[in-house]
Amino acid sequence: MHKGQPLYFRFFGVIQYCIWLVGQILLSNFDVVRRVFSPTLDIKPILKAIPSYQKTELGRVVYANSITLTPGTVAINIAKNGDVLVHALHADVLTDLEEGTMGKRVSRLEPKIGDTLLGPIVSGDK
């Protein structure tokens, strides 16, 4: 049985994250255009599992969707252990994901246990 979770992310954090993500999308666009129009066609597709450290299912979904929104990468699957299977145009593109910059930013959006605005995270009792 799947238990629900409140849709609570930090409001100002979401605004900051969206601005940062738009910047990453623009940078990735330039990288993809450069690779496609390069005389040597610098594309070597790779498929790799990237660990995610988000505590909530919603956090992992936001992380995977952010990867897919970034040109040159597509999140294919989220494994039960939280790893995200990513297809990229080149291994260089996965460097930032492996460093965890995007993952850490998404994790900062997630509710923390004990947040006063959140209330109980999981309620199995009636």
Side-chain angles (χ1 to χ4, degrees):
M1 180 171 92
H2 185 270
K3 294 184 181 181
Q5 168 184 330
L7 293 176
Y8 168 75
F9 271 0
R10 299 172 190 326
F11 179 73
F12 292 111
V14 170
I15 302 284
Q16 290 174 334
Y17 180 74
C18 288
I19 292 168
W20 177 82
L21 184 60
V22 166
Q24 295 304 302
I25 291 169
L26 291 173
L27 290 174
S28 295
N29 266 315
F30 291 129
D31 182 62
V32 169
V33 168
R34 181 187 59 80
R35 289 179 189 279
V36 169
F37 287 113
S38 168
T40 60
L41 194 64
D42 188 22
I43 296 175
K44 295 176 187 163
I46 184 170
L47 194 62
K48 188 169 186 180
I50 304 293
S52 70
Y53 302 104
Q54 291 70 41
K55 303 286 185 231
T56 62
E57 188 174 319
L58 180 61
R60 287 187 291 276
V61 170
V62 168
Y63 180 53
N65 284 335
S66 297
I67 291 170
T68 299
L69 282 172
T70 308
T73 56
V74 176
I76 296 173
N77 186 32
I78 302 174
K80 290 198 184 278
N81 67 354
D83 288 355
V84 180
L85 185 61
V86 178
H87 177 274
L89 288 180
H90 197 282
D92 297 347
V93 178
L94 292 178
T95 304
D96 288 338
L97 289 176
E98 290 172 328
E99 289 174 359
T101 305
M102 182 183 287
K104 289 174 188 170
R105 286 180 176 266
V106 172
S107 292
R108 281 186 253 156
L109 299 176
E110 293 183 297
K112 305 287 187 251
I113 294 177
D115 276 351
T116 56
L117 297 174
L118 181 61
I121 290 181
V122 176
S123 176
D125 300 330
K126 290 187 178 186

